[in-house]
mmCIF file of all heavy atoms in Angstrom:
data_model
loop_
_atom_site.group_PDB
_atom_site.id
_atom_site.type_symbol
_atom_site.label_atom_id
_atom_site.label_comp_id
_atom_site.label_asym_id
_atom_site.label_seq_id
_atom_site.Cartn_x
_atom_site.Cartn_y
_atom_site.Cartn_z
ATOM 1 N N GLN A 40 87.106 119.875 16.355
ATOM 2 C CA GLN A 40 87.681 120.663 15.246
ATOM 3 C C GLN A 40 86.843 120.383 13.993
ATOM 4 O O GLN A 40 86.602 119.222 13.637
ATOM 5 C CB GLN A 40 89.136 120.178 15.067
ATOM 6 C CG GLN A 40 89.836 120.701 13.834
ATOM 7 C CD GLN A 40 90.363 122.139 14.043
ATOM 8 O OE1 GLN A 40 90.817 122.456 15.136
ATOM 9 N NE2 GLN A 40 90.248 122.977 13.025
ATOM 10 N N LEU A 41 86.363 121.453 13.336
ATOM 11 C CA LEU A 41 85.525 121.281 12.145
ATOM 12 C C LEU A 41 86.277 121.700 10.911
ATOM 13 O O LEU A 41 87.108 122.613 10.950
ATOM 14 C CB LEU A 41 84.260 122.147 12.271
ATOM 15 C CG LEU A 41 83.305 121.864 13.429
ATOM 16 C CD1 LEU A 41 82.207 122.917 13.450
ATOM 17 C CD2 LEU A 41 82.705 120.473 13.316
ATOM 18 N N ASN A 42 85.903 121.035 9.812
ATOM 19 C CA ASN A 42 86.459 121.462 8.530
ATOM 20 C C ASN A 42 85.289 122.037 7.729
ATOM 21 O O ASN A 42 84.358 121.334 7.370
ATOM 22 C CB ASN A 42 87.034 120.191 7.851
ATOM 23 C CG ASN A 42 87.527 120.497 6.473
ATOM 24 O OD1 ASN A 42 87.934 121.625 6.181
ATOM 25 N ND2 ASN A 42 87.490 119.475 5.603
ATOM 26 N N THR A 43 85.291 123.358 7.484
ATOM 27 C CA THR A 43 84.165 123.989 6.799
ATOM 28 C C THR A 43 84.671 124.727 5.553
ATOM 29 O O THR A 43 85.891 124.836 5.359
ATOM 30 C CB THR A 43 83.483 125.042 7.706
ATOM 31 O OG1 THR A 43 84.329 126.169 7.805
ATOM 32 C CG2 THR A 43 83.203 124.497 9.085
ATOM 33 N N SER A 44 83.729 125.254 4.781
ATOM 34 C CA SER A 44 84.171 125.961 3.562
ATOM 35 C C SER A 44 84.927 127.245 3.940
ATOM 36 O O SER A 44 85.663 127.803 3.122
ATOM 37 C CB SER A 44 82.988 126.243 2.661
ATOM 38 O OG SER A 44 81.977 126.821 3.433
ATOM 39 N N ASP A 45 84.730 127.737 5.173
ATOM 40 C CA ASP A 45 85.489 128.917 5.620
ATOM 41 C C ASP A 45 86.812 128.519 6.267
ATOM 42 O O ASP A 45 87.486 129.335 6.896
ATOM 43 C CB ASP A 45 84.681 129.711 6.671
ATOM 44 C CG ASP A 45 83.409 130.265 6.056
ATOM 45 O OD1 ASP A 45 83.425 130.501 4.826
ATOM 46 O OD2 ASP A 45 82.433 130.458 6.807
ATOM 47 N N GLY A 46 87.179 127.262 6.185
ATOM 48 C CA GLY A 46 88.425 126.779 6.745
ATOM 49 C C GLY A 46 88.202 126.008 8.047
ATOM 50 O O GLY A 46 87.056 125.741 8.419
ATOM 51 N N GLY A 47 89.304 125.652 8.716
ATOM 52 C CA GLY A 47 89.191 124.880 9.958
ATOM 53 C C GLY A 47 88.759 125.795 11.092
ATOM 54 O O GLY A 47 89.145 126.978 11.139
ATOM 55 N N MET A 48 87.947 125.297 11.968
ATOM 56 C CA MET A 48 87.557 126.078 13.155
ATOM 57 C C MET A 48 87.037 125.127 14.238
ATOM 58 O O MET A 48 86.691 123.981 13.943
ATOM 59 C CB MET A 48 86.456 127.086 12.817
ATOM 60 C CG MET A 48 85.139 126.482 12.391
ATOM 61 S SD MET A 48 83.844 127.697 12.256
ATOM 62 C CE MET A 48 84.220 128.498 10.721
ATOM 63 N N MET A 49 87.062 125.612 15.469
ATOM 64 C CA MET A 49 86.497 124.817 16.555
ATOM 65 C C MET A 49 84.987 125.036 16.588
ATOM 66 O O MET A 49 84.516 126.140 16.224
ATOM 67 C CB MET A 49 87.073 125.244 17.916
ATOM 68 C CG MET A 49 88.561 125.073 18.077
ATOM 69 S SD MET A 49 89.094 123.376 17.725
ATOM 70 C CE MET A 49 88.509 122.519 19.171
ATOM 71 N N LEU A 50 84.248 124.047 17.053
ATOM 72 C CA LEU A 50 82.795 124.203 17.133
ATOM 73 C C LEU A 50 82.427 125.382 18.050
ATOM 74 O O LEU A 50 81.462 126.094 17.798
ATOM 75 C CB LEU A 50 82.190 122.901 17.657
ATOM 76 C CG LEU A 50 80.726 122.645 17.346
ATOM 77 C CD1 LEU A 50 80.479 121.153 17.228
ATOM 78 C CD2 LEU A 50 79.797 123.200 18.365
ATOM 79 N N SER A 51 83.265 125.596 19.069
ATOM 80 C CA SER A 51 82.956 126.694 20.015
ATOM 81 C C SER A 51 83.023 128.055 19.313
ATOM 82 O O SER A 51 82.342 128.996 19.748
ATOM 83 C CB SER A 51 83.907 126.652 21.202
ATOM 84 O OG SER A 51 85.234 126.631 20.753
ATOM 85 N N ASN A 52 83.836 128.172 18.237
ATOM 86 C CA ASN A 52 83.857 129.466 17.517
ATOM 87 C C ASN A 52 82.473 129.769 16.951
ATOM 88 O O ASN A 52 82.093 130.939 16.829
ATOM 89 C CB ASN A 52 84.842 129.420 16.335
ATOM 90 C CG ASN A 52 86.282 129.247 16.819
ATOM 91 O OD1 ASN A 52 87.030 128.480 16.262
ATOM 92 N ND2 ASN A 52 86.622 129.932 17.892
#
Side-chain angles (χ1 to χ4, degrees):
Chain A
Q40 171 80 38
L41 298 174
N42 175 28
T43 73
S44 49
D45 296 333
M48 65 171 77
M49 298 305 287
L50 202 150
S51 54
N52 295 136

